[in-house]
Amino acid sequence: MGAWMDYFSAADDETAAAQLDVGEVPGAVCGNGIDPAVMIGNLEALLTGRSYDDVRADPRQAALVAQEEDCAVVVTTLTDGLRDALAGADARALRTAAAAWGRTEEFDGDEEEGELADLVESFAALAVDARAAGHHLYCRISM
């Protein structure tokens, strides 16, 4: 059984939790196969220069916001450090991070560098809008 990951922004955890019951999250970036804990944690470490362990220690890194009773849909947080790093990076830094991210063991060499660069650029556009609005980033995972 696969999981679908939609990355989105919201003003606060309560607003993000309301995304449990929607069919499609408005304005979301589809990141299927990109888990918000390990893989996004690796991306944040690459973008910020922080260690992976330091990223994982952030209380907002993949923290549970809401879940359906059967856990078929959950919403987790992403860190503001990730949001700010994505929003503040230029195109070259994003491409460099995407290339390094694709070499992490979680990808097993299966991802095309250009596809990951496009995904990271989409995450960055989401982050720019989120930061401008004073929003946080989230991931909605559907089983």
Side-chain angles (χ1 to χ4, degrees):
M1 178 189 300
W4 294 267
M5 286 85 163
D6 292 312
Y7 290 86
F8 66 99
S9 73
D12 53 39
D13 292 355
E14 183 178 331
T15 304
Q19 300 305 309
L20 279 178
D21 299 327
V22 300
E24 203 171 298
V25 180
V29 172
C30 177
N32 290 342
I34 307 297
D35 80 87
V38 175
M39 296 173 97
I40 293 295
N42 283 332
L43 178 60
E44 182 172 349
L46 290 165
L47 284 167
T48 63
R50 295 169 57 201
S51 73
Y52 174 77
D53 290 338
D54 190 34
V55 168
R56 289 289 295 151
D58 187 311
R60 286 194 63 81
Q61 209 281 330
L64 182 65
V65 172
Q67 66 185 18
E68 287 186 342
E69 192 171 307
D70 62 359
C71 298
V73 181
V74 299
V75 173
T76 65
T77 59
L78 302 178
T79 70
D80 290 339
L82 173 67
R83 178 202 60 201
D84 294 344
L86 284 164
D90 62 22
R92 182 179 180 162
L94 293 172
R95 284 191 305 274
T96 300
W101 193 35
R103 292 189 297 271
T104 60
E105 71 180 83
E106 289 74 27
F107 284 105
D108 293 326
D110 292 339
E111 294 295 319
E112 292 291 325
E113 189 172 315
E115 290 175 13
L116 279 182
D118 290 347
L119 179 60
V120 171
E121 287 176 0
S122 294
F123 286 156
L126 178 68
V128 166
D129 291 345
R131 187 166 70 173
H135 288 185
H136 304 285
L137 296 178
Y138 298 88
C139 181
R140 179 179 182 261
I141 306 167
S142 306
M143 301 293 175

